[in-house]
Amino acid sequence: MKEFFGFGGYQRSAEGYFSWQHIVFVTSLITVMTALAIIIGIKNKNADTITKNKVIIWSAILIDSFEIFKIIMVCLRSSDPMGWIYDLPLFLCSIQLITIPLAAFTKGRTKESALDFVLIFGLLGAFFGTYFAGNNYSSYPVLSFDNVVSGITHCISGFTAIYIGITGMANMKKRNLPITFSILLGFCTAALIVNKIIDYNYMFLVRGDGTPYDILYNIVGGNQILYPAGVILMFLIYISAFYLITFMIKSKKRVKETV
């Protein structure tokens, strides 16, 4: 257990990014995530709003509980009392630690926008935070506390996104687009400020660190203005494209219904 939690540092060597152990582990998580989301989503598809929302509430409780537990363990095994500043929820996937609770416990446009945000980024975060987490799987053994908890929290985000999509809880209304943009831009601004203060890489706005962001980093030659601006622009384009595709699908459905 001491080795699993990393007390005193991991004695095992990391199996490596895209090693067969990495692929088998994350594929197992993604498979369970998808199966649960489909089964529970279909079961609750025609249920009332309160029943549907209970699943989102449980997702919010679980994802934040795992994250809080992780931060506590990181602090316990670290000799640096300020080590927690490197585990703030300021990565793209970490935003779900706040947006899922907002989707579960708020009402009105805030709830609608949070549901939209989870739907848009939850599944993307699940895949990028597991299959493409080169920063984690190059540094820690696959079956380690860091990778297991990271895999679970990312898959809770993916599960919630699929569940929201199947049950039709997200409205994807045009009026909520500015709020969705604001959520992202708010976190990016916070990440930029914190990165500057503590010299870290939240939201991967400083460098790619072995993730697909390295592609953009190499294209702009590591330029510290073009790179973060490009990352944020990609986020905004992705959100806009997601909304646009949803609007087009809704328009086609309306046309078919009228015909």
Side-chain angles (χ1 to χ4, degrees), residues 12-78:
R12 295 168 293 151
S13 299
E15 291 85 351
Y17 183 40
F18 276 128
S19 63
W20 70 264
Q21 294 94 332
H22 169 205
I23 299 301
V24 169
F25 175 64
V26 299
T27 299
S28 299
L29 287 177
I30 293 292
T31 300
V32 173
M33 171 198 86
T34 305
L36 286 174
I38 292 173
I39 292 169
I40 299 174
I42 292 175
K43 178 183 176 182
N44 289 351
K45 186 174 184 180
N46 298 315
D48 57 83
T49 303
I50 295 176
T51 301
K52 289 180 180 179
N53 198 59
K54 285 180 180 178
V55 177
I56 308 297
I57 290 174
W58 274 108
S59 293
I61 293 172
L62 287 171
I63 193 171
D64 280 7
S65 296
F66 274 109
E67 190 65 19
I68 292 170
F69 178 55
K70 184 188 82 172
I71 293 173
I72 291 172
M73 292 302 299
V74 168
C75 291
L76 287 175
R77 73 186 189 186
S78 175

Side-chain angles (χ1 to χ4, degrees), residues 2 35 44 58-59 84 124 144 172 197 212 245:
K2 180 180 178 181
N44 289 351
W58 274 108
S59 293
W84 58 268
L124 181 72
S144 63
M172 299 297 291
I197 294 173
I245 292 171

Side-chain angles (χ1 to χ4, degrees), residues 157-214:
S157 296
F159 162 85
T160 310
I162 297 173
Y163 175 81
I164 289 171
I166 292 175
T167 55
M169 293 184 71
N171 293 298
M172 299 297 291
K173 296 177 181 177
K174 292 180 181 178
R175 68 173 189 170
N176 294 331
L177 183 57
I179 300 178
T180 307
F181 275 160
S182 298
I183 292 172
L184 177 67
L185 292 174
F187 275 89
C188 286
T189 301
L192 285 168
I193 294 172
V194 174
N195 285 342
K196 195 70 176 178
I197 294 173
I198 67 173
D199 188 25
Y200 202 52
N201 190 26
Y202 281 120
M203 294 285 284
F204 297 104
L205 293 175
V206 178
R207 56 191 177 275
D209 276 352
T211 67
Y213 294 108
D214 275 332

